[in-house]
Amino acid sequence: MTSNETSEQASDETRKPADAAERTGVWFVGARGSVATTAVVGALGVSHGLAPTTGLVTEHPELLPDGLPDLSSLVFGGHDVSSQSLLKKAEALAAGGVVPAAVVSAVSAEVETVDAEVRPGHVSGEESTAEAVERLASDIASFRDRHGLARVVVVDVASTQPPVDDPEQMVGLEDPLPVGAVYALAAFRAGAPFVSFTPSPCLRLPVVVEAAERSGLPYAGCDGKTGETLMKSALAPMFVMRALELRSWTSVNLLGGGDGETLADPEAARSKTLAKREGLDAIAGRPVPGPMHIDQVEDLGEWKTAWDHVRFDGFLGTRMTLQFTWQGCDSALAAPLVLDLVRLVSAAHAAGRSGPLPELAFFFKDPIGATEHRLSEQWRDLVAWREGLIA
Amino acid sequence: MTSNETSEQASDETRKPADAAERTGVWFVGARGSVATTAVVGALGVSHGLAPTTGLVTEHPELLPDGLPDLSSLVFGGHDVSSQSLLKKAEALAAGGVVPAAVVSAVSAEVETVDAEVRPGHVSGEESTAEAVERLASDIASFRDRHGLARVVVVDVASTQPPVDDPEQMVGLEDPLPVGAVYALAAFRAGAPFVSFTPSPCLRLPVVVEAAERSGLPYAGCDGKTGETLMKSALAPMFVMRALELRSWTSVNLLGGGDGETLADPEAARSKTLAKREGLDAIAGRPVPGPMHIDQVEDLGEWKTAWDHVRFDGFLGTRMTLQFTWQGCDSALAAPLVLDLVRLVSAAHAAGRSGPLPELAFFFKDPIGATEHRLSEQWRDLVAWREGLIA
Amino acid sequence: MTSNETSEQASDETRKPADAAERTGVWFVGARGSVATTAVVGALGVSHGLAPTTGLVTEHPELLPDGLPDLSSLVFGGHDVSSQSLLKKAEALAAGGVVPAAVVSAVSAEVETVDAEVRPGHVSGEESTAEAVERLASDIASFRDRHGLARVVVVDVASTQPPVDDPEQMVGLEDPLPVGAVYALAAFRAGAPFVSFTPSPCLRLPVVVEAAERSGLPYAGCDGKTGETLMKSALAPMFVMRALELRSWTSVNLLGGGDGETLADPEAARSKTLAKREGLDAIAGRPVPGPMHIDQVEDLGEWKTAWDHVRFDGFLGTRMTLQFTWQGCDSALAAPLVLDLVRLVSAAHAAGRSGPLPELAFFFKDPIGATEHRLSEQWRDLVAWREGLIA
Amino acid sequence: MTSNETSEQASDETRKPADAAERTGVWFVGARGSVATTAVVGALGVSHGLAPTTGLVTEHPELLPDGLPDLSSLVFGGHDVSSQSLLKKAEALAAGGVVPAAVVSAVSAEVETVDAEVRPGHVSGEESTAEAVERLASDIASFRDRHGLARVVVVDVASTQPPVDDPEQMVGLEDPLPVGAVYALAAFRAGAPFVSFTPSPCLRLPVVVEAAERSGLPYAGCDGKTGETLMKSALAPMFVMRALELRSWTSVNLLGGGDGETLADPEAARSKTLAKREGLDAIAGRPVPGPMHIDQVEDLGEWKTAWDHVRFDGFLGTRMTLQFTWQGCDSALAAPLVLDLVRLVSAAHAAGRSGPLPELAFFFKDPIGATEHRLSEQWRDLVAWREGLIA
Ligand SMILES: NC(=O)c1ccc[n+]([C@@H]2O[C@H](COP(=O)([O-])OP(=O)(O)OC[C@H]3O[C@@H](n4cnc5c(N)ncnc54)[C@H](O)[C@@H]3O)[C@@H](O)[C@H]2O)c1
Ligand SMILES: NC(=O)c1ccc[n+]([C@@H]2O[C@H](COP(=O)([O-])OP(=O)(O)OC[C@H]3O[C@@H](n4cnc5c(N)ncnc54)[C@H](O)[C@@H]3O)[C@@H](O)[C@H]2O)c1
Ligand SMILES: NC(=O)c1ccc[n+]([C@@H]2O[C@H](COP(=O)([O-])OP(=O)(O)OC[C@H]3O[C@@H](n4cnc5c(N)ncnc54)[C@H](O)[C@@H]3O)[C@@H](O)[C@H]2O)c1
Ligand SMILES: NC(=O)c1ccc[n+]([C@@H]2O[C@H](COP(=O)([O-])OP(=O)(O)OC[C@H]3O[C@@H](n4cnc5c(N)ncnc54)[C@H](O)[C@@H]3O)[C@@H](O)[C@H]2O)c1
Ligand code: NA
Ligand code: NA
């Protein structure tokens, strides 16, 4: 690896027009986690015609899928701190009902190939931030070179990190940066666009924002919008449009293992609840009271159940109630969005876009650079932006 | 009343520019029913500052409320076949928790004044259709003249009627017209715009469509979108945008007295279920299977509980479920929409619009002239149309 | 087969004291259906230590399991009109998540052995009732002889049959008997106790009751209590004990394929809804109003979702509501009860009991000979009866 | 008041056989709270035939109501630290839909009479415990004498207190006793049986237990079982009887003002959650995991919504789920139980019973002296005990 491969100028080199033969790299931070594994198994399964494209937003004709990288053109690799193999994880997900066992066994050899592309992740305190950025960037660049990829999109799907107390203080590499920020800096250094799918503060730290600016690369985030927050972004606008007064909105999330375990740590959960609250209040135009809980319920496994209780007033103050129960599989909801983001950010990069991509707010609980939380409006913005990429 | 007061040309006479002093008539078909009574009590209550404007869509700044008739400028009257007084009904609604008892007693004198403006409704078979049209139109015109109203908007909130088997066969007054059609013909004859808030087939009968055309009057309908269908129009687009596959959508509606009693008649209920299904299938782009029930549960009174069970597939076919329970008060949901429609149709009339108003689809389960069922898109269409009324 | 093997006196012959070496036959009517297949797979799986005894009521120490036939001592056979093999059905159930795939493959050889014991069932009109009784009884007796079984318990888990209009008219073999009755007559003729797990009228027809009496055999039924009715029998007593007034109880059942398909036939569903209503009214001491629906929702597969909405009044008439959603797998709920019934009825037979067994009401929606529908009281009756079998 | 009126021997004096002319005193600690006020309004309303006896368990024929004090023979008084009048509270409860406004106005004069019997409550630190016991006991005894009451039952329905860290350390009046204990000591000193309807530790403190023993008076508690815990005690036995494995039980309680406000204090809430957990684990025979939340949601007013999510395994480990939503009015659930307890404890006292009354476990979340939490078994124990009072 030569130094300019990982320099911020490297990004220019990768700006060749997209063509059919072109292959796109996907570099997962947290490559052996549930979301990354489901995305890998799913991309392979769909490519081989073993599963329909359900859940893939970018297959909508309005998003002009023909101009986006094919799932079959994606090449996967990543960082992780876990040594449990991707295939083991895929088998565990199959046992938990997240992915079909038949698909996992059909693509198992390819999954092992991906696993061979996973490099050791960064652990705070085990190396200096500067060393880490250099090492991680080198891993990404070398992946790109080795496979002759048109570009690599880095997607952070690592475990949720606690929020940062004084984000605006984090201006240099010497500060105690959250791990997500280290990966973002490495991506930019390697000339790779970056997507934060976790509830991470990293894309708002001055040190990261400045590096992104210098790199001229596009980036997007953060915190994938999959379950209850998705529901809120579809439902809360209904109350507003109909002038029905939201009096309280209670949210209870029951999560099984994996991310649930991380979120059982109240500090980490705080990142998540902050991101979840914001959208509702923004749509309502004022804070809507009501408790919000994220609880780990071990035996739910990969499944999540959310119960929401919404009290609203109608005409003349008449008291009414809406309750819903959402029973979803988080990884199966998140994985196709991750692939959508790779395709769209890849197209943005090919089209020379740089900086935050607020038009991707449709995918996020806490969209960088955007204030729009209403799902339908986000969809319109997304469609318009996608059309604009071509013009 | 002179004949040209009720002639179809009369409408022109009423097309004077709106001004502050102007008063607008509201003529309810079914004036002593729950929806009409709640609308009357509510309009009076809000006008006197006894209740907030919750539920009134037309108070949204985007809908430019300043250019719409004030609630306090509305004058109410109507037809009904019931002889129970409006005040009795209002007191019953207060006892049932639909409207605050304090508001009812504060406005009771005015409610009695409205009751004095209720004229005998039309009962099939008791008079010929031609006679009925003439008599009913005369009631409307005389109401307008007596009160010096700028215009009268007729709103059908009478009991749900069964669907018509061969609507396209109904071309003349001699045919056995559904009662809603008779009222629509009377409205047009009296030069009054017409809104069908019931699940009625009347606005699609050739005899009515032609009369509307000849009259040059605007009209809108049909079947107010208040509960479960409202939810569907907010939620179904979420599944579509996210490419989640809707496998089944089950809907169960439990209704108390009033409209529930009418809908316990399977024939009448059929009108309602037809209107309710259509929107979902239109949004999904294909029929979504699943049973739909409307049941009367006496002891629910004025309250309605809807339970919906939605089965959808995510990525790789993972099976997920959404359930919701909606506990609403139908009359309190419908009444402000009725007032919104009066204000908007009144403005359309003042602006010289004629024919069906598809941009009011936001308010209806089965919108005349429109194919858009997605709530957010309907909202955008409504806002754009409202702006266009002024330009 | 000699005539006295199938004669009604044959039962005496089989009344030898239970001993450890003894093996018990289980003869399923509907042997290739979901419930029977799950029972077979489960009995084998538990016997081999591949699954815990979850769901097996007879493993409760209070029911003195040591004196009941071991699961591993059961020998299975049966009648069916379907030619799809038990193993195919077991694999389909594994794919649907009802039974673990690993258990099915571990016991597949034994499942094939059971399948070899399935004989052609009886189809109305294809043979006379007398011929059918003779043929079916002979199958049962020959199964007993061939395997040297201490006794055979016949359990009807065939598809739900429509109710019979004039049950009291069915006094002889020449009458158009429902198929369940034909099987019951055959069981008694073969000297085998009979359990009706379906919502069948057969155990109340004079012709069957008399044959049972002549045979001196014990019998039990009918309609296994698994889901919503189970819930009602646990919950309704709470309202009664607490003097809370039940105003309405609405029940909605969504069923997938299999039995759901049968119940999509309104005639067959009528049997089920009748059985479901009765218990609630008996517990409440008066009819509790409220709609009840059984709907087929194809994509639910082997799963059932029931939603119940209960309106009750508290002190001074305060209106309150309870809703519940039950998401269960019907075959997995039914199968262990079927095994429990085999064990208990077998013990009753060994102890010389005859006639209806009302103390087994715990297991049934529509218990023969019993008026008690409260679950806890049924449990006490069951425990006391079980103790009495030994004394 | 003479000293022996309040001495512990006084109780004997009040042990005259119950007769028709006899009147029973009810002394509420927290007399101006929601539960007490609802009980007073309800007792008066039912006595005057303005409301049915819904919710009154003691009206069940099995509980031999004829031998219990009539509601119309009850005389009310109590302690409170609030100066808001009972009538004001009653009107607020009527506005909140807890009690009918018509009943409140019909009994308003009698409510004011009760209010005149309310004496200042005890506030920790404002007087010594010994002084407080003396003063409060004197209030109770003087109430009994003034009205010539056969006996007075003291019922603690004051605000929830935090749990005590070392209950077994509290052996004398000099220890920092929780307020509930002070009231219990005062009751015993005044010769009055005591019922703790709050989640209070007081009936388990050595100092209280010894005073109770010396007094020879009966007592019962604690924490009225009204909503979710009631449901658990009806439902959990179903899972156990059916050998269905409880994997997790999640409970979420949303409460409005009043007690909700107190429970927003995490310390006070801890008393409540401890009491709520215990019953389930006792029924299941082992700890059942799952989060439990008690949240204040201001706008729910006097209403409570509880959502429970129960995961259980069936045969062969099949995963199933039960969810329920309970929408109840806590005061309307609690008030009749309070009256039931007064009637039953009064009868126990008349019959010469002393010490804890474990057979009243039916009424409590955390029954003193009892280990039985299953509702039906508690009911049987109650009925048997009631019969025994007479024999
Ligand atoms: N699934 C969803 O619906 C959803 C929605 C929004 C956001 N997310 C976010 O996606 C992320 C991943 O979720 P998941 O369910 O896959 O979690 P997971 O726990 O299964 O996977 C996280 C992976 O990150 C790895 N990891 C941890 N620290 C790391 C580090 N310092 N460097 C590199 N790798 C590291 C872990 O070893 C693990 O393999 C979480 O942050 C979650 O909050 C998920
Ligand atoms: N409330 C809602 O949320 C909602 C939503 C959509 C549509 N709607 C429709 O609004 C209508 C009114 O509902 P409601 O709850 O007020 O019902 P309602 O039964 O309380 O009132 C209907 C009124 O119509 C009168 N009526 C019956 N036949 C008539 C006739 N031939 N001429 C004149 N009047 C006649 C009745 O006497 C009654 O006063 C129904 O058709 C209902 O389907 C209501
Ligand atoms: N699963 C439950 O929770 C539950 C509860 C109560 C009662 N039941 C009853 O158990 C029965 C079986 O349910 P299932 O889910 O297994 O249904 P299923 O449709 O899977 O199986 C029924 C079997 O009966 C066979 N059959 C039909 N007619 C027959 C005949 N004349 N002779 C012999 N066999 C015949 C069918 O071929 C099929 O194999 C139904 O009657 C159902 O109502 C089930
Ligand atoms: N409502 C139910 O379903 C239910 C069920 C179980 C237990 N409880 C318990 O009943 C109690 C009363 O509930 P509520 O809803 O009536 O509450 P509330 O807040 O309406 O009433 C409590 C009353 O106690 C008074 N109080 C506070 N401290 C006092 C003191 N030191 N001395 C005397 N009075 C004092 C308050 O002033 C108030 O009037 C609570 O402890 C609650 O936990 C209620
Ligand atoms: Na509605
Ligand atoms: Na069932």
Side-chain angles (χ1 to χ4, degrees), chain A residues 266-284:
Chain A
E267 259 312 274
R270 204 151 58 84
S271 299
K272 206 78 176 187
T273 41
L274 289 176
K276 275 165 160 289
R277 265 210 180 291
E278 193 188 351
L280 173 60
D281 293 355
I283 294 171

Side-chain angles (χ1 to χ4, degrees), chain A residues 248 293 295 299 311 319 325, chain D residues 248 293 295 299 311 319:
Chain A
S248 68
H293 300 288
D295 294 305
D299 72 278
R311 260 276 298 112
R319 300 160 65 90
T325 305
Chain D
S248 68
H293 299 289
D295 294 303
D299 72 276
R311 260 275 299 111
R319 301 160 63 88

Side-chain angles (χ1 to χ4, degrees), chain B residues 207-283:
Chain B
V207 59
V208 174
V209 172
E210 278 153 34
E213 246 163 58
R214 279 197 310 275
S215 76
L217 289 162
Y219 61 93
C222 55
D223 203 5
K225 177 159 79 172
T226 48
E228 185 187 68
T229 317
L230 174 66
M231 284 291 293
K232 281 181 181 160
S233 70
L235 274 179
M238 177 188 83
F239 293 101
V240 172
M241 289 183 274
R242 281 297 179 97
L244 300 166
E245 188 79 6
L246 286 167
R247 299 297 299 273
S248 67
W249 194 306
T250 298
S251 300
V252 179
N253 288 271
L254 310 182
L255 304 175
D259 200 36
E261 211 160 330
T262 308
L263 294 172
D265 167 11
E267 259 312 276
R270 205 152 57 84
S271 298
K272 206 79 178 185
T273 41
L274 289 176
K276 275 165 161 289
R277 262 206 184 291
E278 191 186 352
L280 174 60
D281 293 355
I283 294 171

Side-chain angles (χ1 to χ4, degrees), chain B residues 248 293 295 299 311 319, chain C residues 248 293 295 299 311 319 323:
Chain B
S248 67
H293 299 289
D295 295 304
D299 72 279
R311 259 277 298 112
R319 301 160 63 89
Chain C
S248 67
H293 300 288
D295 295 303
D299 72 278
R311 259 276 298 113
R319 300 160 63 88
Q323 295 171 54

Side-chain angles (χ1 to χ4, degrees), chain B residues 306-341:
Chain B
W307 175 70
D308 278 43
H309 178 272
V310 186
R311 259 277 298 112
F312 62 100
D313 284 352
F315 199 43
L316 307 176
T318 315
R319 301 160 63 89
M320 312 194 194
T321 305
L322 171 70
Q323 296 170 54
F324 67 82
T325 305
W326 170 269
Q327 294 169 305
C329 175
D330 265 4
S331 303
L333 287 161
L337 301 185
V338 162
L339 298 172
D340 287 326
L341 285 163

